[in-house]
Each structure stands twice: as structure tokens, then as C-alpha cells.
Amino acid sequence: MEVSDELGYLCRIVDDSKVSTGLTNKGFSAFASKVLGLPEVSIMESIKTAGIISDAEPEVPFRPLGVFNFNPEPESLEKMMSGMLNIITGDNLARNFLILFMARYRFSVALLETIIETHGTMLRITSENCAYAVMTSDFFLQAEAVNRWAIQQEAALRSTSPGSMGQLLSMDWFLSIIKVLRDEDSGSFHGNMETIIASMDENSLDELLSSISSGILPALATQNELLYRDERIRQAFLERSIRHNESIGLKRFYYWLGIANDLSLGLEFVIGSIEFFPSNVFAGANDVLGVYLFITGSSQLVARSLIQIVMQFHLRRSREKSTRRVSELMRANE
């Protein structure tokens, strides 16, 4: 079976992907079948025969051997791009990821790549899905059909609110992602997405994906003014700044308190041990004093944990206090 220009071009698009999705031959053939209307069983054998791949086994990673010159007719290309777009937009998460890619390319590549590397299964990157590989290809992103769709989506998003961000704005990872968006907006993309995602547990990652599916993150990515002017975001950053400054002071205090406790504890055990020396070794030995020093030192071992407990309690009260202070400051500035 001869490889059509459409099938060859689809191979080229997937090969141009900027992220490694773990796509298999089976996944590619399933996707190509939906886009081009070809039977799955014939797709892999035909591109293997044409020398595009070396191994047609279903579970083998899909890796084209090189760049091939396939150029479909404009009408066929438009139809093919529309078909891929329909598949991607059929999944709400993939659809909103595509909006992110069209609005904030570097940010989205870093975000998607890191999520795939750390929690690929949470994005439903399965052997049947190569939508995420397609949407990172320049060939796909620059297609007229995709750009027309993106313009419509961005126009719709610009006229809508990002929705409720209440709980998200209390999460450090969410504010860190907003900061990355701000950095990219100002032309300095310094956000370490890998560090942000790595610090998140599965619940937080679920919330991140939900913020994409619900349109919150795409809305923020397309409405730059929200990143700076939204009162909720401003309040959250102000609160985090105040909380951070206060927590540094508290942690420094308890750090030195812990050192003082450990230092005195060590001295008490050293001196207490000396007090138990035989009288022919240390004439001034005092067993009673040694016992008291050991009791005091043992109590300070307990104090280690108590210092940590009190510090956490103090930090919690400080956070509550900073929240009230921010509310007062925001009201005063209204």
C-alpha cells in the first residue's frame, strides 16, 4: 500500500512534537485512523514499507526515521487539520491545553512536558491518544484552521471571567504558576516549572488539571491584565509576601532557640557524666548534681519536639493574622 501525502504528513507532524508523550505505534495508528478514515491494520505496515518507521509492532514507541517530503493538497490538508482539531477539542482538558499553547507557547510546553514526565497517566497519555504530541507541533499550530479556532476561543475567553479561584489562590503552587505567566508576559521566562510541579502532590496536580479543564488557567493566560489587576490575585500575592516575611522571622527565632536548647542539653550531659566519675578520678564528683543535670537534659530532649510544635502553632497564627492584615490593607486602598 502506497503512503498517501496525508498519512506521511501526519507522521511528520507527530515527529515534530516538542514533548515526549510515550506515543506507541498503536496510538499513532488509532489517531491516524480517526483523522484520515483509514483502517488501523494497514497504517503501520504501509509506513513501514515506505521506510518511515523500522518496526511496526503495536507497543513499540512511534519514531519516524527521518523527515519526509509529503505535501497534501491544500483542500486535503485543511480537512486533515480540521479532523485533528475535532479530536483534540473533543476532550476538554486537551482542548484547553491547546488554547494555552496558542496563547503562551513556551509556558505551555514547559508545563505539559513536566506533567508528562512526572504524572503522564494523569493526562490520559495512553497508547490510543497522540493529541498532546500533535498539539506541540509547529506544523499543526501554524495551520489556518487551528489559528481560526484559536482566535475564536481567545475572543470568547477575553470576555469571560476566569471563575472562582478562591481555594486555588491559597495554594503556593498556583501563585508560582501565575508568577511564571507574569514573567513570560514581561519577556523574562525564568519560571522553573519542573520545581513547581515536582513540589506538588497528586491532589494538587488534580487541582492544576481541573484549573485547566475549567478554563481558569487559559483565561489567565489570555487576559494579561488579570495577572496584575485582579483584586483576588493581588490580595493573594500581598498575603503571601507578608506571610513569607513574617515566617522568615519566626523560623529564624525558633532556629536559634533550637540551637540554644541543643547546646545547653549537650553541656548538661557532658557535665552530668563527669559528675559520675569515681572520686579517685574527679575529686569534686557529685552524683546528685549529675542526676539533676541528666533530668534537665532529658527534659530538653522533649523540648526539641515542643519547640517544633509551638513554632507550627505560631506560624499558623501568623498566617491568620497576615490574612486579616491583607484584608484591612485592601479595604484601605479601595
Side-chain angles (χ1 to χ4, degrees), residues 27-144:
F28 175 80
S29 60
F31 189 81
S33 176
K34 292 177 183 177
V35 173
L36 304 174
L38 299 173
E40 286 187 44
V41 291
S42 64
I43 289 173
M44 298 315 299
E45 285 302 327
S46 63
I47 61 177
K48 180 184 177 183
T49 302
I52 295 176
I53 61 171
S54 60
D55 192 341
E57 286 297 315
E59 300 305 325
V60 170
F62 178 75
R63 291 197 182 97
L65 297 176
V67 177
F68 297 86
N69 188 25
F70 293 97
N71 295 299
E73 293 295 324
E75 186 176 335
S76 297
L77 182 60
E78 181 82 2
K79 184 178 179 181
M80 186 173 73
M81 291 298 181
S82 296
M84 285 188 282
L85 186 60
N86 287 336
I87 292 173
I88 291 172
T89 56
D91 178 88
N92 205 41
L93 182 61
R95 170 186 173 277
N96 284 340
F97 250 116
L98 180 55
I99 293 174
L100 281 175
F101 267 96
M102 300 302 290
R104 299 294 189 103
Y105 182 75
R106 292 173 64 197
F107 165 83
S108 303
V109 167
L111 178 64
L112 179 60
E113 189 171 38
T114 306
I115 293 176
I116 288 174
E117 287 176 359
T118 56
H119 299 83
T121 55
M122 296 189 74
L123 269 179
R124 297 187 293 282
I125 301 292
T126 65
S127 58
E128 288 75 36
N129 187 349
C130 73
Y132 294 96
V134 167
M135 75 170 66
T136 64
S137 166
D138 290 337
F139 295 112
F140 178 75
L141 294 176
Q142 293 169 9
E144 288 185 16

Side-chain angles (χ1 to χ4, degrees), residues 235 238-240 242-244 246-247 250 313-329 331:
Q235 179 171 342
L238 181 58
E239 181 178 331
R240 186 168 79 160
I242 292 174
R243 188 171 66 239
H244 177 70
E246 291 181 348
S247 67
L250 284 173
F313 177 75
H314 202 167
L315 285 171
R316 182 178 176 181
R317 287 190 60 188
S318 175
R319 283 194 292 269
E320 293 171 352
K321 184 180 177 182
S322 65
T323 301
R324 289 194 297 270
R325 282 183 60 193
V326 170
S327 298
E328 292 169 1
L329 286 171
R331 282 196 297 269

Side-chain angles (χ1 to χ4, degrees), residues 23-309:
L23 179 67
T24 62
N25 288 339
K26 180 182 177 183
F28 175 80
S29 60
F31 189 81
S33 176
K34 292 177 183 177
V35 173
L36 304 174
L38 299 173
E40 286 187 44
V41 291
S42 64
I43 289 173
M44 298 315 299
E45 285 302 327
S46 63
I47 61 177
K48 180 184 177 183
T49 302
I52 295 176
I53 61 171
S54 60
D55 192 341
E57 286 297 315
E59 300 305 325
V60 170
F62 178 75
R63 291 197 182 97
L65 297 176
V67 177
F68 297 86
N69 188 25
F70 293 97
N71 295 299
E73 293 295 324
E75 186 176 335
S76 297
L77 182 60
E78 181 82 2
K79 184 178 179 181
M80 186 173 73
M81 291 298 181
S82 296
M84 285 188 282
L85 186 60
N86 287 336
I87 292 173
I88 291 172
T89 56
D91 178 88
N92 205 41
L93 182 61
R95 170 186 173 277
N96 284 340
F97 250 116
L98 180 55
I99 293 174
L100 281 175
F101 267 96
M102 300 302 290
R104 299 294 189 103
Y105 182 75
R106 292 173 64 197
F107 165 83
S108 303
V109 167
L111 178 64
L112 179 60
E113 189 171 38
T114 306
I115 293 176
I116 288 174
E117 287 176 359
T118 56
H119 299 83
T121 55
M122 296 189 74
L123 269 179
R124 297 187 293 282
I125 301 292
T126 65
S127 58
E128 288 75 36
N129 187 349
C130 73
Y132 294 96
V134 167
M135 75 170 66
T136 64
S137 166
D138 290 337
F139 295 112
F140 178 75
L141 294 176
Q142 293 169 9
E144 288 185 16
V146 178
N147 276 278
R148 284 197 303 270
W149 176 85
I151 290 171
Q152 293 173 353
Q153 297 302 313
E154 285 190 31
L157 278 174
R158 288 183 186 281
S159 61
T160 59
S161 166
S164 175
M165 296 183 287
Q167 191 63 27
L168 288 172
L169 289 173
S170 65
M171 307 291 182
D172 277 340
W173 62 263
F174 187 70
L175 294 179
S176 296
I177 286 177
I178 290 179
K179 187 177 184 306
V180 173
L181 284 171
R182 284 179 169 183
D183 289 344
E184 188 183 34
D185 185 50
S186 64
S188 56
F189 188 74
H190 297 306
N192 191 338
M193 196 66 70
E194 185 176 348
T195 301
I196 296 171
I197 302 298
S199 67
M200 298 168 64
D201 56 24
E202 289 202 0
N203 288 335
S204 297
L205 198 62
D206 270 333
E207 290 169 345
L208 169 59
L209 297 180
S210 294
S211 73
I212 297 173
S213 292
S214 64
I216 292 175
L217 204 55
L220 291 173
T222 54
Q223 300 182 55
N224 293 352
E225 63 277 5
L226 284 177
L227 298 174
Y228 303 95
R229 297 179 184 174
D230 187 277
E231 290 299 319
R232 295 167 297 176
I233 293 176
R234 289 176 57 199
Q235 179 171 342
F237 271 101
L238 181 58
E239 181 178 331
R240 186 168 79 160
S241 176
I242 292 174
R243 188 171 66 239
H244 177 70
N245 292 335
E246 291 181 348
S247 67
I248 287 177
L250 284 173
K251 287 178 180 178
R252 185 180 294 120
F253 169 76
Y254 283 104
Y255 170 77
W256 287 110
L257 181 61
I259 287 180
N261 179 72
D262 289 352
L263 182 61
S264 60
L265 183 156
L267 289 173
E268 285 158 5
F269 274 108
V270 168
I271 297 171
S273 299
I274 293 173
E275 296 298 332
F276 279 94
F277 279 174
S279 57
N280 61 336
V281 176
F282 179 52
N286 186 329
D287 292 355
V288 175
L289 177 59
V291 169
Y292 279 118
L293 286 171
F294 280 153
I295 291 173
T296 305
S298 300
S299 300
Q300 287 183 252
L301 285 174
V302 177
R304 275 183 174 179
S305 298
L306 290 176
I307 288 172
Q308 292 299 314
I309 292 171

